Amino acid sequence: MAIIPKKTPMREQPPKERIKNFNEVPLGYTPEEAINEAKRCLQCKKPPCVKGCPVEIDIPGFIEKIREGNFKEAIRILKDKNSLPAICGRVCPQEDQCEKECVLGKKYEPVGIGRLERFAADWEAEQGIMEIPKIEKSTGKKVAVVGSGPAGLTCASELAKMGHEVVIFEALHKPGGVLVYGIPEFRLPKIIVEREVNYIKALGVKIICNFVVGKTKTVDELLEEFDAVFVGTGAGLPWFMNIPGENYTGIYSANEYLIRVNLMKAYLFPEYDTPIVRGKNVAVIGGGNVAMDAARTALRLGAEKSMIIYRRSKNEMPARIEEIERAEEEGVIFHFLTLPVRYYADENGKVKEMECIRMELGEPDHSGRRKPIPIPNSNFKIPVDTVVVAIGQSPNPLIPQTTKGIEVGKHGNIIIDEKTGKTTKKGVFAGGDIATGAATVILAMGAGKVAARAIDEYIKTGIW
Amino acid sequence: MAKILKKEILAPNIKKIIVEAPEVAKKAQPGQFVILRIDEKGERIPLTIGDFDREKGTLTIVFQEVGKSTYHLGLLNEGDEILDFVGPLGKPSEIEKFGTVCCIGGGVGTPEIYPVARALKEVGNYVISIIGARNKELVIMEKEMREVSDELYITTDDGTYGMKGFVTDALKKILDSGKKIDRVIAVGPVMMMKAVSELTKNYNIKTIVSLNAMMLDGTGMCGICRVEIGGETKFACVDGPEFDGHLVNYDLLMARLRTYLEEEKLSLKLFKEKMGIQ
Ligand SMILES: Cc1cc2nc3c(=O)[nH]c(=O)nc-3n(C[C@H](O)[C@H](O)[C@H](O)COP(=O)(O)OP(=O)(O)OC[C@H]3O[C@@H](n4cnc5c(N)ncnc54)[C@H](O)[C@@H]3O)c2cc1C
Ligand SMILES: Cc1cc2nc3c(=O)[nH]c(=O)nc-3n(C[C@H](O)[C@H](O)[C@H](O)COP(=O)(O)OP(=O)(O)OC[C@H]3O[C@@H](n4cnc5c(N)ncnc54)[C@H](O)[C@@H]3O)c2cc1C
Ligand code: SF4
Ligand code: SF4
Ligand code: FES
């Protein structure tokens, strides 16, 4: 069989069109396109791609079913290991995971595993079917899950399938974590998150929103009612640079900017009540996925200029290549080797200018990336009316602060045993960004799954 | 969901509601607040817990109609439900025996200071309270405040009730009479808290204020509520809302509160047109 060197292309909204709306950018495969792409898979006997997937999906297995046109079986295989396939197919950094290991990738483009996963999940949704897997007989045990991001949702669904009673407590008014408040609609439509959440509810998981653990009830209080607690509260604490003028109005954390737009639908103001500043000259500080999301959001809110300000060069940018390319296509302007040093405001305290300094790259630092060093006297100013600070975030300290006996590391991350998710406190498990610091959806899901297994064992045996 | 059990009009545009929220009531302490969202298209707004009844599982909230969300809240009736209601948020007030304390409430700051004054009284402080309003009609919760205060002073801007002037005029009078005050707690409009802090600084009296920064999540996730305290950035929702009044950058707070002035006006105008209110 001849090898097809390139991935089957996926149709997408053209850049000029898509920056005028919040609709999804890539449009997905048709069944024919999906079958064509599935045909590229070599069905390796010892498939390396599976090792690249943190939840070990039977990748050749589901692809084979797509090739046969048996989409129903394909989705069953996917869901066996991954309860959020429509989400992972869209937002997993596949180039660093499954697709990185694909044998085809050595010489040609790897199989579009993510695209096929997305196809199967979307196909199922279109049929309006939702198959509920077998749920074990009730064990009479109760588990509380704190946080409804990918870690919490996965842990909850696994535990529910094992027959345990599970309640998720979520601080915000909608479940989904970063999937609903952070990742924009044009990359991950919220209806998909809702659908996946409904699936998890259909497994019998109860979700209680508007409940801040540590405030409404503490972890210790939950332990009186539940046999175990899983903490999946993410890395929601935004960092600022602590430079002069950073508190002027018009300067947002990426979290605030994205929460307003995604969770509160500020792009639909005044139909929705939450407003947002629709800047003409927007500067986004940072070079990760979050920065790309903010810069592309700014364009859709009508910015004339949406700029990325990054202190290293393009090669060091942590964002996914695909996201950087999309941002470039849409007209985001990149200022590399540039570091903001202070902000200036107008008489109303609103930001109007940003002073930056140029950088050069020195020796590699502990992260292996070349360290940026300021060039003396290279300061210059950029006019701005909106700034979004997207330089990272760390775990929220609320739970460690209000719970005795949960140890945290240097960056406030909860310390866990990676094989079980056990924290230093009996009966309390944790996983996802709260333990690792800001990472990925699929790693958070993997952590939720590992913890679910260990929780099952702990509540059945009582052995810590 | 939180049901409104009781509603009362205290003064023009000032309303009091009693809301069923047993989980929040169980944990509520003076100085804390809730965040609520009225319906699917609503915004999240912070409101102080004016009072709480752990047994009945209820909270009292007093609010002033200033914009779309508070006007909307004011239109809800007994039996109606508020879609999202979360709390208690923020740090509770420091309640200790300080000696003589002065609790100052301006406008809707009065119901906010009430549970604090009561708690301070319960632990044995001598409580002097000052409540201020623009005019007689807007003086609220006098009876309740009197019950928890050893001395109560009332000021109105126009002199239609109590002493004519601002709360700071009353405070200055008390201080100049030679009374030793160990701590001042002031809640109300930013200008008032600023003025109180400036005054007490001269007298070297520790002063606590409750900052009404704009808020979104209320759990430390977004940073919209950032305030500067002694030159350091703090998040009002988790590090506050109460701070040392002598260290607050009030000008920054006021500027930040004006961020969405235009949008807020538009929102209110559209809402009033839709509901046919003046
Ligand atoms: C803008 C943005 C874009 C991203 N893009 C990608 C991408 O393309 N691909 C990818 O793989 N990853 C991406 N990530 C990272 C990914 O989203 C996270 O790694 C992942 O969501 C972590 O999952 P989690 O379950 O650990 O936490 P979260 O998703 O952060 O969920 C935590 C939940 O816990 C709740 N919570 C917090 N404290 C409490 C409390 N005390 N009580 C109750 N509830 C609480 C929070 O409200 C939240 O809902 C992105 C992140 C951001 C911010
Ligand atoms: C911790 C905290 C506790 C609060 N407790 C109470 C309370 O118990 N009772 C009460 O009536 N209000 C309280 N507030 C203020 C209340 O949150 C605002 O009045 C409300 O958000 C206004 O919403 P809106 O849509 O009605 O008006 P908007 O349209 O948002 O605003 C209308 C007008 O009010 C001003 N404004 C907006 N937000 C605030 C604010 N946070 N503080 C002061 N002025 C503001 C605007 O500048 C504008 O002029 C509290 C605020 C905080 C942060
Ligand atoms: S879940 Fe992510 S890593 Fe695993 S196969 Fe799907 S896209 Fe690849
Ligand atoms: S490595 Fe690539 S070709 Fe081989 S089974 Fe996996 S997806 Fe197919
Ligand atoms: S309200 Fe978002 S951090 Fe305080």
Side-chain angles (χ1 to χ4, degrees), chain A residues 398-416:
Chain A
L398 185 58
I399 295 218
Q401 272 170 7
T402 53
T403 317
K404 269 186 243 102
I406 293 187
E407 262 176 52
V408 295
K410 243 204 342 266
H411 303 289
N413 53 302
I414 295 184
I415 294 171
I416 57 166

Side-chain angles (χ1 to χ4, degrees), chain A residues 173-174 181 210 215-216 221 236-238 246-247 249 251-253 255-256 260 269 271 273-274 396, chain B residues 27 37 40-44 68 84 86-88 90 219-222 224 226 228 233 256 259-260 263:
Chain A
H173 58 258
K174 263 209 185 82
Y181 80 72
N210 298 315
K215 289 285 180 187
T216 318
E221 286 168 309
L237 185 76
E246 210 172 17
N247 293 330
T249 63
I251 304 181
Y252 293 88
S253 73
N255 267 0
E256 185 196 341
R260 280 184 184 273
F269 177 87
E271 186 197 341
D273 288 345
T274 306
N396 191 317
Chain B
K27 277 305 185 68
R37 193 174 72 125
E40 197 46 48
K41 293 184 178 175
E43 63 183 334
R44 297 171 61 101
K68 151 99 201 248
D84 297 304
V86 58
T219 63
M221 268 175 70
C222 75
I224 191 192
R226 52 199 201 279
E228 273 175 26
T233 297
R256 291 187 62 84
T259 309
Y260 295 109
E263 288 86 351

Side-chain angles (χ1 to χ4, degrees), chain A residues 10 22 25 68 83 90 99 110 112 121 129 159 163-164 183 204 232 234 245 267 295 301 330 352 372-373 396 441:
Chain A
M10 190 183 278
F22 275 83
V25 171
E68 289 170 6
S83 45
R90 286 172 165 83
E99 295 184 18
I129 46 175
L159 288 165
H164 306 303
I183 305 181
Y267 63 97
L301 288 172
E330 291 174 5
K352 63 165 191 196
I373 307 163
N396 191 317
V441 171

Side-chain angles (χ1 to χ4, degrees), chain A residues 57-82 85 116-117 119-121 123-124 127 129 131:
Chain A
I57 290 177
D58 174 7
I59 295 171
F62 96 83
I63 293 183
E64 175 67 4
K65 292 297 164 197
I66 292 187
R67 197 188 57 77
E68 289 170 6
N70 187 350
F71 306 143
K72 199 169 173 183
E73 189 54 19
I75 187 70
R76 198 200 55 74
I77 295 175
L78 278 164
K79 285 216 168 151
D80 193 38
K81 290 283 164 69
N82 182 350
L116 290 172
E117 184 171 346
F119 166 78
W123 176 86
E124 187 195 33
Q127 310 308 303
I129 46 175
E131 246 182 66

